[in-house]
Amino acid sequence: MAKPDEFKPDPPSENPKTEVDDENGDDVYEEEETEEHELDEEEDDEPEPQLRGRIPQSAVLMQQAKLQGLFQRLQTQSVPLRVHDVLIKGNTKTKDYLIESEAALFKNCTTMQQILEVSRAVNFRLQALEIFDSVKITLDSGPPELPGTSNVIVEVQEAKSPLSGEIGAYTKAEARSSTVEGTLKFKNIFGHGDLWDGSFAYGWDNLAELSAGVHFPRFRGASFPLDVRAFLLSQDWLQFSSFKERSMGLSVALLSSRNHDLVYNLGWRTLTDPSQLASRSVRMQLGHSLLSSLKYTFKVDRRNSPLRPVRGYAFAATSQIAGLAPDSRCSRFLRQEVDLRYAIPLGILNSALNLGISGGIVFPWGTGFKNLPSPLPDRFFLGGNSSPISSLGGPTTVWGYRTRGLGPTEPRRQLKSNGGDEDAADPGADFLGGDLAVTAFADLSLDFPLRWFRDRGIHGHIFASAGSLERLTQNAYKDFSLQKFVSSFRTSVGAGIVVPIQPFRLELNYYYMLKKFEHDRGKPRFGVTFSM
C-alpha cells in the first residue's frame, strides 16, 4: 500500500528562493545572490559532463534549510495553502467522476495540515472501493501565477485481476450442522466501481443460502451507494420452534451512509414442519406468505472500541413497516427496535462499566389486526451465544441462555403409535417468541495485573443480565400489566476472560442463573462466546 501523501519540493534552480517570515508574520521572498566564476582556459579542457552533473553546494544547503523551515512550520503553525487542481492518473478503466467524487474533500482545504489529513482520508476511501491495488497521492506546486496553491496528483493502479474469492468452513453455535461458505466477486466490470458478487452457504444436508448482488458506490453521481441483491435462504428452526423457513426475493438498499440505512425487501416465504410435531400456534402459520417491507435504521457509535468499550456511547433505532403490497397473503406488521449502550471509565486498571438496555415491539396492522397474530419469523427471540457488548441492533441476548431459550412456549403435538396409544416420549415444547422484548445488562471489565495479558488486550469481566418476552397480539394486550411483565424477567450473572481477536471478541465465561422458568433452556455452566 502506498503512502497516503508525499511532498515534492521544487527542484533547485540557479537562483533558489527561500521562504522566510518577516517581523509581521507575512511571507516574503528574498533572492539569494550567487557569484559566477569564470573558468580558466585550462579548466575549459576538462570534460563537460562532469561539471554539468554537479549541484552547487550552496544550492543543496539552501534547499535543506528550506525543507527544515517548512517542517518546523508544519509542526508549530498552520501553513496557508489551497488546492488549485486535482489531477488523476493511472485509471484506464475506472471513470474519472468516481475518483473525483472521493477527492472532493480537497476543495475545502485552506492549510497544508488539512491537505495532508484529507489525503489520508481520500486514500482510505479509494482503497475501500476494492478496485485498486494501490493509491498514491502526491502534492505538487501550483501555477507560478497563483502563489499559495498546490496541485494534488491522485495516481491509482487498477486491480490486475477483476476476480477475487474466498471460501471457508464454519460451525455456528448450536447449529445442527456445519456449513461451507464461499464468495466470488467481479470487480469494476463497467468502470463505475461496480462490484458483482455471488455467495453461498451449504450445510452437509441442505443448501442454507444462495445470493447474488451488485454494489455501485456512486450510482449516477449520487452521494450514497446502491445495493441490489437477490437471495434464496433456508433456515432450520425445528429444534427450537418446529418449523423450517425458506424465502426467496430481492432487497434494494435505497440509502446507505454512516448513520442512516434505508432498505426495501420483497420476498416470498414458506414455513413447513417436516417433523409434524409443531404446536397449534406454529401450525396456524405454516404455508406461504409475501413480505414487502421498508426498513430504516439510524445508528451512531461514539465508543472508543466496539470490542472493549472504555468510554463513549452508542445508539441504534430500527423501524420497519411491512405490508406494502395489495396481495391478501402479504404480511402486515409494524416493528420497532431501540438499543442504547454507555461506557463509563473508572480509571483503575483500565476498568470500565458498560451499561446497556434494548427494547422492541412488533404488532400487526390492517383489518381485524387485534385478533391477528404477529408473523412467527418476525417476532423477538432471546438467547444465544453472542455478547451484548458487541451486538448493537435490538434485544437478542441474555447471557447464559441457549438459542431461543426463554419466553412463551406451547407443548408440541403428541403423535400416536400404531396401537392407538400416544408415545411415551415427551416431544417437548415450541418457543413462540414474543411481541414485546426488553433486555438489559451491566458489565465491569478490568485489566489483569500481569503485563503479558495487558499487552495482548486479554482482560477479565464480571457481568449481569436480564430480559423477558411477552405476547401482545390476539387480544393478549388486554391482560398485560407492567408489574406482571417485570416479574417475568429472567436474570443471570457470571464472570470470564475476554480475548480480543480482531475483528472478533472471544469470551470464556461461567454463567449462573439467578431466575428462570420451567421451560427455559439455561443452567449454570461454562460457555464460549464468539462474536463480532
Side-chain angles (χ1 to χ4, degrees), residues 361 435-438 468-473 475-489:
I361 185 172
D435 306 312
L436 174 66
V438 177
S468 184
L469 293 167
E470 190 68 38
R471 294 187 61 186
L472 299 177
T473 55
N475 293 311
Y477 68 92
K478 296 180 180 179
D479 299 327
F480 176 81
S481 68
L482 183 60
Q483 181 180 2
K484 180 181 177 182
F485 180 65
V486 172
S487 64
S488 67
F489 268 69

Side-chain angles (χ1 to χ4, degrees), residues 275-523:
S275 68
Q276 298 183 353
L277 295 175
S279 60
R280 183 177 182 278
S281 296
V282 174
R283 294 199 305 270
M284 293 293 292
Q285 299 211 25
L286 298 180
H288 305 285
S289 63
L290 177 67
L291 177 65
S292 176
S293 69
L294 199 62
K295 179 186 290 188
Y296 169 73
T297 301
F298 171 78
K299 181 183 294 185
V300 57
D301 194 342
R302 301 294 175 81
R303 298 174 296 180
N304 64 308
S305 170
L307 297 182
R308 188 189 178 182
V310 177
R311 59 184 175 275
Y313 67 92
F315 175 77
T318 301
S319 303
Q320 182 181 10
I321 177 172
L324 307 179
D327 196 293
S328 60
R329 291 168 291 183
C330 186
S331 299
R332 292 179 170 84
F333 62 90
L334 302 173
R335 199 172 193 266
Q336 179 65 49
E337 303 173 30
V338 292
D339 209 337
L340 179 63
R341 302 279 189 270
Y342 196 81
I344 305 173
L346 301 181
I348 302 175
L349 295 176
N350 197 28
S351 58
L353 178 63
N354 278 270
L355 303 174
I357 184 170
S358 306
I361 185 172
V362 58
F363 212 82
W365 66 274
T367 305
F369 69 94
K370 294 182 180 180
N371 299 319
L372 297 177
S374 56
L376 186 58
D378 301 298
R379 296 177 186 173
F380 295 97
F381 293 88
L382 300 183
N385 288 345
S386 62
S387 172
I389 300 292
S390 302
S391 60
L392 184 67
T396 56
T397 301
V398 177
W399 262 307
Y401 285 88
R402 304 287 185 177
T403 300
R404 299 195 175 194
L406 61 91
T409 61
E410 186 174 318
R412 291 173 177 169
R413 184 166 56 177
Q414 191 84 18
L415 293 180
K416 295 183 179 181
S417 62
N418 295 333
D421 297 332
E422 294 183 350
D423 293 338
D426 183 9
D430 288 333
F431 287 87
L432 303 179
D435 306 312
L436 174 66
V438 177
T439 60
F441 76 89
D443 179 274
L444 176 63
S445 63
L446 69 164
D447 283 343
F448 290 116
L450 296 180
R451 182 178 179 181
W452 187 88
F453 291 101
R454 296 198 305 268
D455 293 342
R456 290 159 178 79
I458 302 175
H459 61 280
H461 72 143
I462 304 171
F463 55 83
S465 62
S468 184
L469 293 167
E470 190 68 38
R471 294 187 61 186
L472 299 177
T473 55
Q474 294 179 301
N475 293 311
Y477 68 92
K478 296 180 180 179
D479 299 327
F480 176 81
S481 68
L482 183 60
Q483 181 180 2
K484 180 181 177 182
F485 180 65
V486 172
S487 64
S488 67
F489 268 69
R490 284 76 161 173
T491 55
S492 63
V493 296
I497 300 175
V498 181
V499 182
I501 307 175
Q502 293 289 347
F504 303 101
R505 174 186 172 99
L506 175 65
E507 296 182 8
L508 308 174
N509 297 326
Y510 176 76
Y511 309 107
Y512 183 80
M513 309 296 119
L514 293 180
K515 182 180 180 181
K516 68 170 188 173
F517 290 177
E518 179 182 359
H519 295 287
D520 292 344
R521 300 176 68 246
K523 62 181 180 179

Side-chain angles (χ1 to χ4, degrees), residues 1-2 122-135:
M1 179 174 176
V122 172
N123 186 290
F124 175 80
R125 293 170 67 169
L126 290 175
Q127 293 279 7
L129 296 176
E130 301 183 33
I131 60 175
F132 302 120
D133 286 339
S134 66
V135 178

